[in-house]
Structures are given as structure tokens and as C-alpha cells.
Amino acid sequence: MTSDRTLRQSGKPWRTLPAAWLGLMLLLGGCGSAPPLAAPTPMPVATPAAKAKPVIGLVLGGGAAKGFAHIGVIKALEAQGIKPDLVIGTSAGSLIGALYAAGKSGFELQALAIPLNEFQVSDWVLPDRGMIKGEALARFVNTAVGNRPLEKLPRKFGVVATDLASGEPVVFRVGDTGTAVRASSSVPGVFQPVSIRGHEYVDGGLSSPVPVRFAREMGATFVIAVDISDKPLNSKLNSTFDILMQSVTIMGQTIARYELPLADVVIRPNIAQLEVLDFTTRHIAVLEGEKAAARVMPALKEKLARFGEPQVTQTSGTAVARP
């Protein structure tokens, strides 16, 4: 093999090397270089998980004739396409809730309520632990819901009453719809207690005037509560009935303070000027319900739109519509 020295002695320049030598040298030099970079493997793109859909619970509180405000709230929700998945009601809220759970729209509820004669739901008797039996109310409800029991209503529904012996709230989810509403609406001293399976029940407002907690237990992940309760009257009480209703109001206000913060949105119609037993102002109550829902609607829709999103900062969990 010819050495470099021989090549130098021969006076032949490097560029005159045979092509085969030059190719061999390039090949050997290439063996010592870094291999070419491989094309980067594309990283998988994570598909964002679909946001959880809220289970909307509508909570309808007690308030006797002021319960017509619930109809206005329902009308306003329907106008915005907000359809609760479940409903739970106390006292007057159980009456409106039963008809709504049976499939009646807000306008149908209003058409049924405005011409309603209060004597259709009142059966006065000689005082015997109450002046009204409540059987007429139960018949009215069962007729309106097509005699379907609670568990057969199109929308999931619960009725809150109070066990007279223990004082504990009870939620009826199965059984006769009219009887459950009658029990939930039996204000002590006005309605006679209702006997169901060996227990006596009275007004649900005594133990859970705005049953937000029970809506959660029924599966609601987003709760809209309608509070139609009164504030205690700061005036002279002239009758035994006045004292009774004042006592119920004081107790209801105290209990509601613990449940209302558990709601995502609280709607409070401005119906303080309406009388608890004045059925002639029902159209005003409906209108005030619509107005109260309209006031809180922007906050309600924003909360629904952001449901399931991670929250960076903790803010107040309740939006309150105030007059």
C-alpha cells in the first residue's frame, strides 16, 4: 500500500487521488459522525373532558297564599329554557311543586291558580285539633295530577312534612300525592294533623321551611331555592291566630338561615306587603315571582354556564335576588 510519505515524495497532490480512495475516506469519516436526528414523535393531544351537566333542583318554600309567587318563578325559568331535573316543596311549595312535577307549565299553573276558589281547597269543620280537615285539598291535588302517586309523576318530586311526635322533617317520595301535600300544608291549629302509616304529620315549614338540604340528598348538584317566608311582624298581635303565625314565622326564619347558604341561587320575591291568607292578591304574587327571578337571572345563568369548571378563587356561593 502506498504511504502518505510515498505520495508526498512522488509529488502527487491529494486531489489527484483515485476516486475510489476518496470515496473510501469519506465513508470512513462518515462512520465517526453523529447519526442523523430522527423525526420527533408527535405528542398525543389530550381531548378536554366534557363538563359535567348539573342536576338542577328547584326548592319551593312555604308561605301559604304567598306561594303563588312560585308560579312566577317557574314561568321565568321556563322562558330562559331552564328546566329543573327535580323539585321539592314545603307547604304551599309542595302544592305548586306537585302540579309542576305532574307536567304543568308555568302558564298552565297560572291558568289553574288565578280562578281558584279558596273554598275548593278548604273544608271547615268544628275545631278538633284544627279548623280545616284538609281532605278537600288532597282531592284537588289528586285530580290535578291525574291521580298519579308521587313516584309516577313525570318529574322527580319530594314533599316535606313534619312528624308531630318527633319533630323531625320527613320527605315523602312515594305514595298518595294529595295526602302528602295535605300533610305538608297542615299548619298546626288551622289544619288537622294528617295520619300516614301510623304517624301524624303537620306543616313541613316547622322543620324545613326551604328544604335545600333535602334537594341535595335527592341528587341535585345545582340548587335554585325560592324563599317566600315572612319576616316577623314588628307590630301588635291582636288574636290567637296572629300569635300562632308569628311563632311559626320566627321559627321558620331561624331554621332557614342554616339551609339557604347551601343553595347555589336564592330567589326572594318582594311579597312582604301581601297577607299570608289573602288569596285575592295571587296575581300580584305571580308577578313578583317573575320579577324576582328576572333580577337574579344573569347570575343564575352565569353560574350554570360555569358549572363544573375549576374555581381559582373562592367566592360567595349564593346569589340572592333582592327587591
Side-chain angles (χ1 to χ4, degrees):
M1 181 179 293
T2 306
S3 66
D4 291 347
R5 180 179 178 184
T6 305
L7 290 172
R8 285 195 297 270
Q9 290 176 347
S10 65
K12 295 180 180 180
W14 283 93
R15 63 177 177 271
T16 61
L17 288 174
W21 278 92
L22 184 59
L24 178 60
M25 293 175 67
L26 292 174
L27 180 62
L28 292 175
C31 291
S33 62
L37 293 175
T41 304
M43 297 295 291
V45 178
T47 303
K51 288 202 311 181
K53 182 181 178 182
V55 178
I56 302 175
L58 179 62
V59 177
L60 304 178
K66 298 186 179 188
F68 291 107
H70 292 315
I71 297 175
V73 171
I74 290 171
K75 287 177 62 181
L77 293 177
E78 288 181 335
Q80 297 297 323
I82 299 173
K83 299 179 180 179
D85 300 287
L86 62 91
V87 183
I88 185 167
T90 288
S91 196
S94 73
L95 170 58
I96 302 301
L99 305 184
Y100 183 48
K104 297 187 182 299
S105 68
F107 283 99
E108 288 173 328
L109 290 173
Q110 184 171 355
L112 182 65
I114 295 302
L116 178 67
N117 187 325
E118 62 183 284
F119 294 102
Q120 291 178 252
V121 294
S122 303
D123 42 5
W124 296 86
V125 294
L126 292 175
D128 178 16
R129 300 201 300 166
M131 298 176 291
I132 299 176
K133 290 186 67 175
E135 292 178 353
L137 174 61
R139 286 195 299 271
F140 171 82
V141 172
N142 280 334
T143 300
V145 303
N147 291 308
R148 286 173 290 185
L150 294 166
E151 67 273 19
K152 296 295 184 180
L153 297 178
R155 182 176 274 113
K156 193 175 182 180
F157 180 52
V159 177
V160 179
T162 302
D163 188 309
L164 183 58
S166 68
E168 293 295 323
V170 175
V171 180
F172 291 106
R173 294 280 313 283
V174 298
D176 186 85
T177 302
T179 301
V181 171
R182 174 189 173 190
S184 180
S185 306
S186 294
V187 179
V190 179
F191 283 82
Q192 295 178 351
V194 179
S195 179
I196 302 175
R197 295 189 292 273
H199 290 260
E200 288 191 315
Y201 296 94
V202 290
D203 196 293
L206 299 176
S207 56
S208 185
V210 191
V212 176
R213 175 167 57 95
F214 292 115
R216 297 284 186 191
E217 292 181 3
M218 287 174 61
T221 58
F222 188 96
V223 174
I224 303 169
V226 186
D227 180 16
I228 58 171
S229 61
D230 286 321
K231 291 183 178 179
L233 295 173
N234 188 18
S235 61
K236 187 176 180 179
L237 305 174
N238 299 313
S239 67
T240 301
F241 181 76
D242 288 342
I243 295 173
L244 172 63
M245 295 307 296
Q246 177 83 336
S247 301
V248 172
T249 298
I250 293 170
M251 182 167 47
Q253 286 281 312
T254 302
I255 297 171
R257 290 193 193 104
Y258 294 96
E259 289 214 64
L260 286 175
L262 301 177
D264 295 279
V265 175
V266 178
I267 302 174
R268 288 192 176 104
N270 182 19
I271 50 177
Q273 76 279 12
L274 306 183
E275 296 293 333
V276 173
L277 297 180
D278 188 358
F279 283 78
T280 64
T281 59
R282 68 195 78 179
H283 60 288
I284 299 176
V286 173
L287 178 60
E288 290 298 335
E290 290 187 67
K291 290 163 62 176
R295 285 192 293 270
V296 80
M297 195 60 68
L300 193 163
K301 294 175 73 173
E302 180 182 1
K303 281 176 172 282
L304 281 173
R306 298 182 62 182
F307 181 85
E309 294 181 359
Q311 300 297 317
V312 178
T313 58
Q314 181 67 34
T315 58
S316 174
T318 303
V320 179
R322 298 186 183 278

